């Protein structure tokens, strides 16, 4: 089955229209979302097949692997099709398999974003999301850092993840 606008609907992200059925790239890494996958070629094939079937939104994060998911995406799909939007996230660190300590400091978010730009081979990330609020950092400081990156042209759209309306 090919995924089409009519079969799944679309949403607008900035000036991109993407299908509501995207690909979450967390599980293309190793066990515990840590390290490389057991089947590197299989992960590459899955990414390519998802795009062939009509997926035009891929969601990933620098913490998946860490770094591995973004590296695999670039290896499999760069140069990217014009209609493909890659969304990534920053704000978590990885100290081991299954461990996800938050770091919403402006310095960490800047380093995470710049690392994602390099790994994904992009000049601008279309959608960059704060992965999770850090209870040790005022939320305004974290989002302010993303706004600075947006003003510099490194991020086009800012998103949030794992938040409530409060």
């Amino acid at each position: 089955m090919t995924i089409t606008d009519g079969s799944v609907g679309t949403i607008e992200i900035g000036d991109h229209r993407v299908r509501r059925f995207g690909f979450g790239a967390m599980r293309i890494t190793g066990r515990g979302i840590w390290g490389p996958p057991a089947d590197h070629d299989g992960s590459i094939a899955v990414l390519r097949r998802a795009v062939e079937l009509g997926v035009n939104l891929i969601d990933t994060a620098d913490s998946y692997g860490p770094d591995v998911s973004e590296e695999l995406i670039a290896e499999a799909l760069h140069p990217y099709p014009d209609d493909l939007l890659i969304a990534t996230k920053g704000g978590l660190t990885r100290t081991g398999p299954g461990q996800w300590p938050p770091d919403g400091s402006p310095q960490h978010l800047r380093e995470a974003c710049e690392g994602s730009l390099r790994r994904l081979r992009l000049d601008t990330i279309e959608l960059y999301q704060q992965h999770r609020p850090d209870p040790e950092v005022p939320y305004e400081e974290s989002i302010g850092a993303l706004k600075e990156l947006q003003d510099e042209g490194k991020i086009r759209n800012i998103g949030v993840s794992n938040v409530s309306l409060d």
Side-chain angles (χ1 to χ4, degrees):
M1 175 178 139
T2 299
I3 300 163
T4 64
D5 292 359
S7 67
V8 296
T10 62
I11 59 171
E12 302 279 333
I13 299 177
D15 58 358
H16 278 73
R17 173 169 283 169
V18 296
R19 295 180 187 99
R20 294 179 62 90
F21 189 88
F23 181 82
M26 184 167 114
R27 299 286 177 179
I28 61 171
T29 65
R31 186 179 191 101
I33 315 13
W34 186 260
D39 182 358
H40 172 272
D41 293 344
S43 291
I44 296 295
V46 164
L47 286 162
R48 290 179 177 156
R49 185 67 175 143
V51 172
E52 288 171 7
L53 290 173
V55 168
N56 69 347
L57 170 63
I58 295 178
D59 180 68
T60 190
D62 70 324
S63 57
Y64 299 166
D67 305 338
V68 173
S69 178
E70 292 177 335
E71 292 167 350
L72 289 168
I73 290 165
E75 180 182 343
L77 302 173
H78 190 272
Y80 303 110
D82 290 340
D83 71 335
L84 180 63
L85 187 148
I86 299 173
T88 193
K89 297 178 282 301
L92 299 178
T93 59
R94 296 301 302 280
T95 54
Q99 298 173 13
W100 305 84
D103 186 345
S105 68
Q107 178 181 346
H108 175 76
L109 289 170
R110 174 170 292 280
E111 291 169 0
C113 178
E114 290 174 351
S116 292
L117 285 165
R118 281 190 306 277
R119 284 184 295 278
L120 291 166
R121 304 179 204 164
L122 293 169
D123 295 323
T124 302
I125 296 169
E126 288 297 320
L127 174 60
Y128 193 85
Q129 304 162 83
Q130 162 134 31
H131 211 145
R132 181 184 333 150
D134 181 345
E136 303 298 319
V137 178
Y139 199 57
E140 295 81 11
E141 288 183 24
S142 298
I143 299 302
L146 299 184
K147 176 64 174 134
E148 287 178 15
L149 290 161
Q150 184 182 47
D151 291 344
E152 295 169 17
K154 295 178 180 179
I155 297 172
R156 190 162 334 274
N157 299 286
I158 298 170
V160 294
S161 179
N162 295 298
V163 297
S164 67
L165 289 177
D166 294 335

